[in-house]
Amino acid sequence: MINPKEHPLVFVQTIQSLFTQIRTRVEKYSAIIRIVKDQDFEIVIEDIDPLSNFSLEIFEPEFVGNSVVFQLKQSPTNHLKHELNEFALYSDQILHQLDGWLNLILQYNNVQISPEEKILKAYEEEFFDNFKLVDEDANNKPYEVGKQLMLAEFLDTAIVVLKNHEIVHEELISEATEIKEELPNLTKQDTVKKLSRFLALIRKKSVELLKALIIETKNQAMKQVVSGGFDFVKGLMEN
């Protein structure tokens, strides 16, 4: 734990102001990025896409003259370089750098090389829009333990259905397992986002596979966790 009184006042005030602005910016774009570490003069931000390893790490501030200089690790570096890059910036340059990195992710998210990717994205957005997430704390708090257990039960059932299907879908089993393991550390928003992607992947594979999953989970209390979404799925089966 950092003790602010061991540092010059202007140093800790500059860090406090900058980190507050960073948290506000991330909250505004919580649909695509999240903070995964925020302690000891360090903030690490990641792309929430489970297939992405994009990140921005801001750490090791130093008092140089009358200014605060941070170390940064960023991936992608820019439009031309995809790899991780490390460099130093003054505190008043950090938000501009964050905005540039965020813009790169937004542009990547708009890339749809194949028709299949476009279809998957449409399914994912459809599921997400139908999961009613109205909690004011959805961007910064996880589901309470009872609801996490319900979600874990649903994912366990999904894994069984996927294993027992005529074709074993290992990539979907891995996706369900990963979500289950991450539940304690996901915000409500992140949880619903990952569930939406998981269900979109299943729907894209096979409507019959989605139907089998919903039939197996129809009596579970899990659907009380996020209202609307599973009524929407059942509606798809009835159409």
Side-chain angles (χ1 to χ4, degrees), residues 47-53 124 175 178 182 194 197:
D47 181 355
I48 68 169
D49 184 345
L51 301 179
S52 169
N53 61 0
E124 186 177 347
E175 186 94 9
E178 181 179 321
E182 291 182 345
K194 286 181 176 287
R197 177 175 178 80

Side-chain angles (χ1 to χ4, degrees), residues 16 56 86 126 154 178 194:
Q16 178 188 37
L56 179 65
E86 184 171 349
E126 191 175 20
F154 165 75
E178 181 179 321
K194 286 181 176 287

Side-chain angles (χ1 to χ4, degrees), residues 76-142:
T77 304
N78 52 41
H79 290 78
L80 299 175
K81 295 182 179 180
H82 182 267
E83 67 272 12
L84 184 70
N85 189 30
E86 184 171 349
F87 49 95
L89 285 180
Y90 287 102
S91 58
D92 58 3
Q93 299 173 304
I94 299 292
L95 287 177
H96 178 74
Q97 190 70 24
L98 171 58
D99 288 341
W101 175 76
L102 175 60
N103 185 54
L104 287 172
I105 294 177
L106 288 168
Q107 291 186 63
Y108 266 108
N109 289 349
N110 287 327
V111 174
Q112 296 172 343
I113 296 175
S114 71
E116 286 192 355
E117 291 175 352
K118 187 174 183 178
I119 290 171
L120 178 61
K121 189 70 175 176
Y123 285 160
E124 186 177 347
E125 291 174 354
E126 191 175 20
F127 279 116
F128 186 80
D129 288 343
N130 281 277
F131 280 117
K132 310 298 184 188
L133 196 60
V134 296
D135 310 48
E136 292 183 359
D137 58 1
N139 289 327
N140 50 51
K141 287 190 177 180

Side-chain angles (χ1 to χ4, degrees), residues 138-150:
N139 289 327
N140 50 51
K141 287 190 177 180
Y143 281 111
E144 52 268 32
V145 65
K147 291 185 176 181
Q148 287 182 10
L149 290 171
M150 292 178 191

Side-chain angles (χ1 to χ4, degrees), residues 3 46 55 64 128 137 150 169 172-173 181 192 219:
N3 180 1
E46 288 184 349
S55 64
V64 180
F128 186 80
D137 58 1
M150 292 178 191
H169 301 283
L172 293 175
I173 293 171
E181 292 174 349
V192 171
N219 294 321

